[in-house]
Amino acid sequence: MFKIRFVVNPHSGIGKYRDIEHLLSTHLDKSKFDYDVVYTQKRGHATEITQDAVSKHFDVVVAVGGDGTIREVARGLVKTDTAMGIIPVGSGNGLARHIGIPIKLSKAVQVINQMHEELIDTVDVNNNVCVSMAGIGFDALIAKKFDNSSQRGFLPYFRFTVGSFFWYKSHTVIVETQEQTIKCKNTLLVNVANSSQWGFNVKIAPKASLQDGLLDICVVKKPSLFLLPTRIFLLLIGKLHQDKLAVHVCKTSQCRIYEQNEDWQYCHLDGDPIGRQKMIQIALDPKSLKVITPINI
């Protein structure tokens, strides 16, 4: 019998979490699991609940939320023997979509019933745990606006993006890896991709892998108004990375990223803003987290 805890964030997404207890009573394999359900009450609470589960020798902790909830749960599980499960009830659900966990919640519970474990890489960003994506610049600004809003779903993301794009000032960014130093002018954002997408199936790094021991560093230039429709189309079909004039991509396991004039930059980890940073120190932590996944990822 496996001990499993479901950590539910009632502020994630558009309210699908309300069905979780009924879903578990209906679809979770009771012959396999002894479970409890705990609801978060504040930012960071998911990590505390997870650490309590680890101390009590739970076999699995399931993040019922979006990418931010997943990151908080992962913080309590990195380099432990307790695995992480995911039931995606967030807005974008980028990591769940990358792994192939169904957005339909009953099917996500069936993935947990299978108890297939994979080891994945995580990322240390300025001594913070990141699982899927870290962003510097424009996407981090949007994450901050979204975090401050009471609205959830795709439309607020879209509205904040359109409303902020035209006034956002591009920067000259330096990316220092073990292999090279890259100076990138007119930079809109830098994305540190452990997985492929921000969410909503919008893929900035389609070739990124959670298990290859490398990160995809994607430096995206701010397009002119003339090129903007083309760049948006390429992004939506997952091919923006192929446009060498739009994106510079390099693979590395560690790097430093900073603005040429040492200005403070917006930063997010898995969609959660962490405040402005002068420099971002990135280091991959290979195969540091057990995750319940479909049979093949």
Side-chain angles (χ1 to χ4, degrees):
M1 184 77 73
F2 295 105
K3 289 179 66 179
I4 184 168
R5 170 167 289 176
F6 293 84
V7 179
V8 184
N9 182 355
H11 300 292
S12 287
I14 55 175
K16 292 197 296 181
Y17 77 90
R18 296 186 184 93
D19 296 330
I20 187 62
E21 295 198 40
H22 173 71
L23 278 164
L24 296 178
S25 66
T26 306
H27 297 284
L28 190 68
D29 187 344
K30 308 303 188 306
S31 68
K32 189 178 289 187
F33 298 106
D34 178 19
Y35 75 96
D36 67 13
V37 179
V38 185
Y39 291 82
T40 64
Q41 299 175 3
K42 58 184 179 180
R43 189 181 294 275
H45 194 201
T47 302
E48 298 174 16
I49 297 167
T50 299
Q51 290 170 335
D52 176 71
V54 171
S55 71
K56 293 175 179 176
H57 306 291
F58 275 71
D59 299 288
V60 183
V61 176
V62 179
V64 185
D67 289 330
T69 308
I70 291 169
R71 185 177 78 88
E72 287 196 12
V73 169
R75 284 175 60 192
L77 296 180
V78 167
K79 295 182 179 178
T80 74
D81 290 328
T82 303
M84 180 175 73
I86 299 171
I87 294 181
V89 301
S91 294
N93 299 307
L95 185 65
R97 292 178 191 273
H98 174 90
I99 291 174
I101 293 173
I103 300 302
K104 186 174 182 180
L105 301 190
S106 59
K107 292 185 177 181
V109 175
Q110 292 303 324
V111 171
I112 293 168
N113 284 337
Q114 295 172 10
M115 276 297 289
H116 175 76
E117 294 182 1
E118 294 275 356
L119 280 169
I120 68 168
D121 306 332
T122 59
V123 191
D124 184 286
V125 182
N126 288 5
N127 297 316
N128 293 290
V129 171
C130 175
V131 183
S132 183
M133 289 275 182
I136 301 99
F138 182 71
D139 63 331
L141 170 64
I142 302 309
K144 180 178 182 294
K145 287 178 174 290
F146 188 80
D147 187 64
N148 290 336
S149 171
S150 60
Q151 297 178 308
R152 290 295 177 261
F154 176 76
L155 286 179
Y157 264 118
F158 179 78
R159 188 176 68 254
F160 293 141
T161 300
V162 172
S164 303
F165 176 82
F166 297 101
W167 64 261
Y168 184 81
K169 181 183 177 182
S170 61
H171 296 268
T172 297
V173 173
I174 311 297
V175 179
E176 295 180 355
T177 73
Q178 296 168 298
E179 300 81 17
Q180 60 186 322
T181 297
I182 308 162
K183 182 178 180 180
C184 304
K185 298 181 179 179
N186 193 35
T187 298
L188 180 68
L189 62 92
V190 182
N191 199 258
V192 179
N194 194 30
S195 69
S196 61
Q197 64 172 274
W198 284 306
F200 305 106
N201 273 328
V202 178
K203 297 179 180 179
I204 184 64
K207 295 185 178 181
S209 168
L210 291 161
Q211 296 180 302
D212 65 353
L214 293 169
L215 297 163
D216 285 35
I217 311 299
C218 304
V219 183
V220 181
K221 293 184 177 296
K222 187 173 183 179
S224 66
L225 291 180
F226 176 74
L227 289 173
L228 183 59
T230 300
R231 299 279 169 81
I232 292 173
F233 175 73
L234 291 173
L235 177 63
L236 293 177
I237 65 172
K239 294 186 177 181
L240 182 62
H241 67 290
Q242 296 178 359
D243 185 341
K244 305 304 180 184
L245 297 177
V247 183
H248 181 89
V249 181
C250 64
K251 287 182 177 286
T252 188
S253 60
Q254 56 183 347
C255 67
R256 296 195 307 165
I257 303 169
Y258 56 94
E259 203 272 340
Q260 178 177 250
N261 296 324
E262 298 186 352
D263 288 342
W264 294 83
Q265 296 295 301
Y266 294 103
C267 183
H268 79 83
L269 305 180
D270 295 322
D272 280 348
I274 61 168
R276 293 194 180 198
Q277 308 287 315
K278 264 195 173 182
M279 178 178 288
I280 310 297
Q281 297 269 10
I282 310 287
L284 191 82
D285 194 351
K287 299 190 183 304
S288 52
L289 179 64
K290 289 183 180 179
V291 180
I292 307 300
T293 75
I295 298 301
N296 297 307
I297 67 169

